[in-house]
Amino acid sequence: MTTRFPNRYTALALSMACALLLPLAAHAQSDADTREQQLEQRVAQLEQQLNALKAMIQAQKTAPVQATPAPAAQAQNVAAAQAPAALTFTSAPGVSVALHGFISATAFDQSKSFTYGNGQNAEYPVPGSNGSLSGVDVRNTRFWLDFSGAKFAGDWTGGGRIEMDFFGGYNGTGAYSQQQPIPRLRQAYMDLSNADTGSTIRIGQQWDLMFPIDNVSTSLSHIAFPLGFGTGMVGWRFPGVVWMQDLNHGSSGVKWRLDLGAFEGSWNGPDGAVNNTNYLTAGNVGFRPQLEARLHVQDKDWLAYVVGHYSEVDLRGVSGTTATPVQNTVKSVGYEVGGQWKPGPWVFKGLVYTGKGLGEIFGDMSQFGDIKDTGGYVQAGYNFTPHWSANAFYSMSKPNTDDVIRWMGNGATGLLRNRQSALSLQYAAGAYELGVEWIYDKLDTTSNGVDRKTTSGNQLNVSALYHF
C-alpha cells in the first residue's frame, strides 16, 4: 500500500503539471508570434522610409536648376532660409513633384479705400474716397507644384510649375462671401533645359521680362501685389515663350544671361461689352505679340539687369470696325534698369523705367492709351540679427499730364502722379515670419483736365507668414 500511494500522487502531480504548463507554453508561443509580427511590421516601415528617402535624394539630383527664381515672401532674413523641406513625391516614371507654398495672414487698418483692393492688394487710394476700414486678409496664401526629372530629346530635360493664390475674387457678394476667396491661377509653364549648354526654354503662363522677378520689394503684407506694383514697378503674367541662355556657361565668377520673350497681346478693349472675353481686345488683333529682351548679370552679393519691351495694338479691335479714340494704333515701348546689392547686413534694391503705352503691363498706373510714363522704386533693408530686420521703401509713378488728359474717357482715368512710402519691422525664425508695416500713399488726379486733387491714404498692418 505504501508503494502505491506515491505512484498515484506522482501521476496526479504530473497530470496537474502538464495541465498548467501547456497553457503557459501556448501563451509563450503566442507572445513569440506577436513579437515576430511586430518586428516584421517595423522592418517593413523602415524599408518604406528608406525607399522614400532614396526617392527624395534622387529627385534632388535630377532636379534642373531654375533659370529665374520664383517670388515667395522675398524676405531677406537669414533665418527665413531655414524653412522646412518641401514635400516631394513622384507622378510619371522618373518625374518628381515638390509641393511648396506659404500661409499668409494680414490684419490691417486703412484710412481710405485703395485701388486694386483693400488689405493685401492695396496700392494707392481711390481718388476722393472717405472713411476708414479694417479687416484681416489671407489671400496672399499660395501654393505651387514644381515638376522635374522628365526626359526630353538628347541632353534636354523637362520640368514645370503650376502656381495658385486666392486673389480670384470672392464667392459671390453675400454676407459670408468675404471669407470665401476664390483660387487664381498665377503661373502654369513647362521648362525644357539643357544643362550642357545652359539653355532653358519656358512655355506657358509666366511673368513677362519687365517684371523684376528676382528684385521684388520686400514686404510680408504685399506679396502678390508687391509694394509699388502699378506705381513704380511694372509687369504682368502672360502666356508666352521665353528663351534663357547663359552667356558664359560653365565659367566661374560673374554670371551673364540673356532672356528673349514673346507674350500674348493685351489691352483694355475695345469691341464693346466683350472687349476682354475670348481674346477680343486690341492686343490680340492679328499676330502681334509683346516682344521683350533682358540682359541679366549676377554675382554673389549683387545683381543687375536691363530690359526692353515693344508691342503694337490696333484700337479698331478684332472686328476692325470699332471707332478709334484719338488714334488708330498705339505702340507700347518700355525700358527698365534695376539691381540689388547686399553689402554685409544691408540689402539695397531698386529700379527705374520709362516708356509709353505701358498700361498692358501695369504701367501708366493702369491707364490705357499712348501715355508716356516714368517711375521706379528704391528700398533699403538692414538685418540687425539673423532674426530681426527693418526696411524702408519709396516708389513713384509719373504719367505725362498732357497725355493723360488727352486720353481721358478713352482709357485714361485722370491719374497724374503717385508716391508710395513704407516702413516695416520683421522677425523671422525658421519657417515663420512676423512683421508690422506702415504704408503711406499720396495720389494726384484730375477729373476734368483743369482742376487738381490730392488724395492721401495710410495702411497699418500686422502680418504673419509660414513657409512650407
Side-chain angles (χ1 to χ4, degrees), residues 81-368:
Q82 301 172 358
L87 173 64
T88 304
F89 53 95
T90 60
S91 58
V95 178
S96 65
V97 184
L99 173 65
H100 302 269
F102 53 84
I103 299 170
S104 169
T106 299
F108 65 92
D109 185 81
Q110 295 178 196
S111 63
K112 296 285 193 307
S113 292
F114 275 65
T115 295
Y116 303 132
N118 298 312
Q120 293 177 333
N121 62 339
E123 291 294 345
Y124 48 89
V126 175
S129 63
N130 293 298
S132 62
L133 69 153
S134 61
V136 179
D137 199 345
V138 298
R139 291 174 294 167
N140 272 329
T141 297
R142 184 184 306 177
F143 63 93
W144 62 92
L145 296 171
D146 281 331
F147 301 83
S148 61
K151 298 298 182 181
F152 192 56
D155 297 327
W156 292 82
T157 60
R161 167 170 293 187
I162 298 174
E163 182 182 59
M164 309 284 290
D165 67 10
F166 292 87
F167 279 97
Y170 292 105
N171 183 16
T173 57
Y176 309 106
S177 63
Q178 183 183 322
Q179 291 73 41
Q180 301 182 77
I182 297 173
R184 174 182 68 163
L185 176 67
R186 291 174 56 84
Q187 298 189 92
Y189 60 75
M190 64 193 81
D191 282 344
L192 301 175
S193 301
N194 190 318
D196 293 335
T197 62
S199 305
T200 297
I201 299 173
R202 179 164 295 171
I203 305 169
Q205 180 154 303
Q206 58 193 290
W207 288 102
D208 81 304
L209 304 183
M210 290 285 283
F211 184 82
I213 193 167
D214 46 8
N215 193 38
V216 176
S217 54
T218 298
S219 173
L220 292 183
S221 67
H222 284 57
I223 302 174
F225 289 77
L227 292 175
F229 193 36
T231 173
M233 182 189 303
V234 297
W236 189 236
R237 300 179 298 273
F238 300 96
V241 57
V242 172
W243 173 41
M244 294 168 274
Q245 178 62 52
D246 294 339
L247 298 181
N248 57 342
H249 182 66
S251 63
S252 59
V254 177
K255 303 297 183 183
W256 292 79
R257 192 185 75 239
L258 176 64
D259 304 331
L260 300 175
F263 304 92
E264 178 185 60
S266 176
W267 201 254
N268 185 25
D271 266 335
V274 295
N275 55 32
N276 285 338
T277 303
N278 295 325
Y279 309 96
L280 297 182
T281 78
N284 299 104
V285 178
F287 188 71
R288 297 179 179 179
Q290 301 179 68
L291 302 175
E292 295 182 347
R294 176 173 60 197
L295 181 63
H296 180 279
V297 57
Q298 184 169 352
D299 205 356
K300 295 179 180 179
D301 57 1
W302 62 271
L303 65 85
Y305 56 91
V306 58
V307 192
H309 160 92
Y310 177 83
S311 71
E312 184 177 335
V313 296
D314 188 340
L315 298 184
R316 294 171 298 181
V318 174
S319 65
T321 60
T322 302
T324 58
V326 186
Q327 59 197 59
N328 290 337
T329 61
V330 172
K331 292 183 179 180
S332 175
V333 180
Y335 307 95
E336 179 177 300
V337 177
Q340 184 179 143
W341 182 39
K342 298 180 180 179
W346 290 93
V347 179
F348 298 102
K349 300 179 180 182
L351 66 84
V352 292
Y353 72 88
T354 188
K356 64 174 186 174
L358 298 177
E360 62 184 353
I361 56 171
F362 267 69
D364 293 320
M365 298 179 68
S366 294
Q367 298 177 104
F368 288 78

Side-chain angles (χ1 to χ4, degrees), residues 35-49:
R35 288 194 296 271
E36 184 176 356
Q37 292 176 358
Q38 291 175 345
L39 182 60
E40 291 176 351
Q41 292 175 355
R42 181 56 179 162
V43 170
Q45 290 176 353
L46 291 174
E47 289 179 347
Q48 291 176 356
Q49 294 175 359

